[in-house]
Amino acid sequence: MQNFKNPIFQKRHYEFIADILKDIRNVEITIEEVIEVFADEFAKSNPMFDKKKFLDRIGVNNESN
């Protein structure tokens, strides 16, 4: 695991992440699909979010981006 400085999240960030996890909790889903869901939700929440950079950082190759 990479060592990096932890950002300071606010309650709204934790709620946002919890809501994403709640939506996929009972779904048969691969880790790649979980990553894709998070990337899509992050992109919806911030027009400056770079989904390709996010997926590249994780090491997921996605040709549809």
Side-chain angles (χ1 to χ4, degrees):
M1 185 156 221
Q2 185 177 3
N3 225 354
F4 54 89
K5 185 177 178 182
N6 291 330
I8 298 173
F9 289 116
Q10 297 175 356
K11 179 182 176 186
R12 64 190 166 104
H13 299 114
Y14 295 116
E15 290 172 342
F16 179 67
I17 293 167
D19 288 344
I20 294 170
L21 291 170
K22 180 179 172 185
D23 286 346
I24 62 174
R25 180 175 168 203
N26 295 318
V27 177
E28 189 74 25
I29 189 169
T30 67
I31 188 64
E32 289 81 10
E33 291 168 324
V34 170
I35 293 166
E36 189 74 26
V37 168
F38 271 90
D40 289 342
E41 292 301 319
F42 293 159
K44 285 187 224 173
S45 74
N46 182 347
M48 297 298 291
F49 177 77
D50 189 329
K51 183 176 174 180
K52 182 176 178 346
K53 279 186 183 178
F54 179 77
L55 296 174
D56 287 348
R57 170 104 184 201
I58 297 169
V60 174
N61 295 323
N62 189 329
E63 300 302 320
S64 65
N65 298 318

